[in-house]
Amino acid sequence: MGTMVQLNEAGLFKSQGLIGDKWVDAENGHTLPVNNPATGEILTSVPFMGKREAEKAIAAASQAFTSWSKRTANDRSKILRQWFNLLIKNKDDLGKLIVLEQGKPLAEAVGEIVYGAAFVEYYAEEAKRVYGDIIPSPFPEKRMLVMKQPVGVVAAIAPWNFPLAMITRKVAPALAAGCTVVIKPSELTPLTALAAAELALQAGIPPGVVNVVMGDAKGIGDAMLDSTEVRKITFTGSTGVGKMLLAGAGKTVKKVSLELGGNAPCIVFDDANLDVAVKGVLAGKYRNSGQTCVCINKIFVQDGIYDKFAEAFAKAVSGLRAGNGLEPGITQGPLINETALEKVERHVQDAVSKGAKVLVGGKRHSLGRTFYEPTILGNASDEMLIFREEVFGPVAPLVRFNTDEEAIKLANNSEFGLAAYAFTENITRGWRVAESLEFGMVGLNEGLISTEVAPFGGMKQSGLGREGSKYGLDEYLEMKYVCLGNMAQPVG
Ligand code: SIN
């Protein structure tokens, strides 16, 4: 264990991949450092695996599928419940790992463990509710039914912004359905995934059901796409990579779920409750330092409330505290790396050059490295880069608007359709706006919408399929129609 990583359960600090029942290094011995984005320190290194290791992991998952898929739903449910218990029992250690490799403040990181574990608990319960159907037959001699069966081996590719929750949101429904998985966590944040896999083994999930490989994203991705044993790809990340996976999955016609970019708009109407709007936008914008796919990235504020909102919002944002997430009182961690920081800088410079006014922040933080000041830009407009590209950082541009139609048009003017938000006290207006927004999720008077019980996913180029909720289970199930002939019943 690296000197700066002190966990209560030292065994959760894993720095090898998991294939079948073995913790393994890369076959060629290559490794990859894992950095703390707040300090730049190297926490440890993990194997830089590639195509060969991914193929072995797929073979292990394929072998394990035979028995895991045949266990009763009750059995799988009990084991998943045990995994949930262990995730919660170890939430402080897992939270610490997230802070160290990803940067978010400790309270938020522990919150992510609770959020991530909730998917495991939810699907432990749903495992027992995979019902089929009996179809009323139009033929007297035939009976018809639909059964649901696991799709098979699942390849789950996860991002760095939620090192646990984006994995459990995929793996828990897959396992509940009877599938086995090969996980590729982000190379930036593999440690939480490896700890979660160790807890999965401790919970009694049989070897081979969960495998973890990381390193050469292209090599691993190719192995997953080329394999006929992998029947499903589930991915959270950029729209660019999502499109490549979608095209690649076509070679073997796999099922695909994609959760891609968002660039969420938010509309604050004149009749919004100011306190509710400020609280909601603050939470929806600055969660994880702006690094979520559902973060509010464009704020359209109606003329009559614009000045009051800008003032109250600026006051709230000025109260945010950036720093190392392990220190008490910190609300804003670092950005994930220098590249992310440079993108934020580029967006702010572009906006200012096109007439935006910095109301708060607007530059690198005095802490240096990957820290950027929580920022608000006034007088923003849809010609700015920040409106087209997801900033993925702590920058909130405010745009003034007049009519509802104008706001809806501005919000829908995007290739993305993941999440959108609106603040109004008028239920009729709120309902009309929710119906008009071309987004998979809408928060009305609410900036935090994510939960295991609701379907998470987008329209347009924000993705395919849904994660979480009862709908999330269908992504891992095949529907099989069975027709029984020669079933005419003698009458009387
Ligand atoms: C994401 O950023 O992809 C997920 C955010 C969430 O689950 O709330």
Side-chain angles (χ1 to χ4, degrees):
M1 197 185 306
T3 48
M4 72 287 288
V5 185
Q6 299 298 331
L7 302 180
N8 298 322
E9 289 296 332
L12 291 183
F13 192 80
K14 291 279 172 206
S15 44
Q16 288 176 299
L18 178 63
I19 299 181
D21 60 353
K22 296 209 169 37
W23 291 98
V24 289
D25 291 321
E27 289 190 6
N28 59 12
H30 289 180
T31 59
L32 178 75
V34 183
N35 289 296
N36 179 338
T39 61
E41 285 162 308
I42 294 178
L43 300 165
T44 185
S45 51
V46 292
F48 187 79
M49 296 170 150
K51 199 162 196 278
R52 274 186 62 74
E53 292 86 349
E55 283 166 354
K56 287 191 172 166
I58 292 166
S62 186
Q63 203 189 344
F65 179 74
T66 313
S67 50
W68 180 249
S69 59
K70 291 201 173 55
R71 304 224 4 194
T72 65
N74 269 49
D75 252 11
R76 290 198 296 265
S77 170
K78 281 193 192 113
I79 298 175
L80 281 172
R81 162 67 63 172
Q82 183 55 13
W83 191 25
F84 162 76
N85 290 339
L86 290 176
L87 289 167
I88 293 297
K89 183 170 164 225
N90 292 284
K91 69 179 190 313
D92 293 334
D93 275 350
L94 294 169
K96 195 167 174 189
L97 279 177
I98 289 189
V99 181
L100 288 169
E101 66 178 349
Q102 197 273 336
K104 68 181 68 168
L106 186 60
E108 208 176 321
V110 173
E112 181 189 333
I113 303 304
V114 174
Y115 172 47
F119 289 100
V120 181
E121 183 184 45
Y122 183 86
Y123 286 109
E125 292 157 357
E126 284 302 292
K128 295 183 274 186
R129 299 188 191 111
V130 179
Y131 300 118
D133 272 317
I134 302 286
I135 300 172
S137 172
F139 308 103
E141 76 288 7
K142 292 181 186 173
R143 297 292 178 271
M144 298 173 174
L145 58 96
V146 172
M147 58 172 78
K148 297 213 181 145
Q149 295 181 310
V151 285
V153 175
V154 172
I157 306 178
W160 51 263
N161 61 345
F162 288 84
L164 180 77
M166 295 306 100
I167 287 177
T168 51
R169 192 154 84 179
K170 297 169 175 16
V171 173
L175 266 49
C179 300
T180 55
V181 296
V182 177
I183 304 169
K184 192 197 84 60
S186 164
E187 283 62 48
L188 300 173
T189 56
L191 302 180
T192 313
L194 294 170
E198 163 63 21
L199 291 174
L201 292 177
Q202 287 181 20
I205 294 177
V209 171
V210 170
N211 304 273
V212 188
V213 289
M214 72 240 100
D216 168 17
K218 165 103 178 62
I220 294 171
D222 283 347
M224 289 170 161
L225 291 171
D226 292 345
S227 165
T228 51
E229 284 163 300
V230 172
R231 299 282 171 80
K232 157 101 194 174
I233 298 258
T234 168
F235 169 72
T236 296
S238 71
T239 300
V241 174
K243 285 180 183 176
M244 282 187 330
L245 291 171
L246 185 59
K251 283 188 280 188
T252 54
V253 194
K254 297 183 200 311
K255 253 170 119 82
V256 180
S257 301
L258 302 172
E259 200 262 276
L260 310 176
N263 219 13
C266 172
I267 308 172
V268 181
F269 290 99
D270 279 347
D271 60 7
N273 175 315
L274 189 63
D275 293 340
V276 170
V278 168
K279 187 166 164 257
V281 180
L282 189 76
K285 171 66 249 184
Y286 295 98
R287 174 179 175 224
N288 203 7
S289 298
Q291 302 173 110
T292 90
C293 298
V294 287
C295 270
I296 294 173
N297 281 343
K298 328 167 191 184
I299 306 163
F300 304 110
V301 190
Q302 204 159 14
D303 191 45
I305 198 174
Y306 184 97
D307 293 334
K308 268 188 284 176
F309 176 82
E311 192 187 331
F313 188 48
K315 193 163 167 228
V317 172
S318 304
L320 297 174
R321 267 193 67 205
N324 186 324
L326 288 177
E327 287 166 17
I330 295 303
T331 57
Q332 296 288 285
L335 295 176
I336 191 69
N337 54 27
E338 277 282 332
T339 314
L341 188 83
E342 282 158 14
K343 183 177 186 192
V344 170
E345 233 174 3
R346 198 168 67 247
H347 278 203
V348 172
Q349 275 160 10
D350 171 81
V352 169
S353 76
K354 291 177 180 153
K357 187 164 169 257
V358 174
L359 302 183
V360 179
K363 57 182 190 312
R364 287 180 182 230
H365 198 282
S366 56
L367 287 165
R369 286 197 44 72
T370 45
F371 289 92
Y372 198 87
E373 292 181 347
T375 295
I376 306 178
L377 301 173
N379 293 346
S381 74
D382 59 355
E383 285 126 49
M384 296 167 182
L385 191 57
I386 201 160
F387 280 81
R388 289 193 303 280
E389 282 180 16
E390 219 175 3
V391 63
F392 238 64
V395 184
L398 307 185
V399 183
R400 206 182 279 267
F401 75 91
N402 288 299
T403 66
D404 291 25
E405 288 63 38
E406 188 190 349
I408 291 166
K409 204 167 158 205
L410 280 164
N412 283 338
N413 183 15
S414 170
E415 70 207 33
F416 298 112
L418 188 60
Y421 304 81
F423 290 84
T424 171
E425 290 286 270
N426 180 330
I427 182 75
T428 315
R429 177 186 245 173
W431 189 261
R432 192 177 61 241
V433 169
E435 280 186 356
S436 311
L437 289 168
E438 297 163 359
F439 291 81
M441 299 174 280
V442 176
L444 271 184
N445 295 322
E446 182 55 66
L448 296 177
I449 55 175
S450 306
T451 157
E452 75 282 5
V453 303
F456 190 106
M459 300 179 180
K460 298 192 203 166
Q461 296 188 36
S462 284
L464 291 175
R466 293 294 181 268
E467 294 191 310
S469 81
K470 62 176 182 172
Y471 307 104
L473 198 54
D474 286 337
E475 306 282 338
Y476 300 93
L477 291 166
E478 285 286 8
M479 199 184 280
K480 187 181 282 176
Y481 157 54
V482 179
C483 179
L484 291 87
N486 193 26
M487 295 288 285
Q489 301 290 321
V491 183

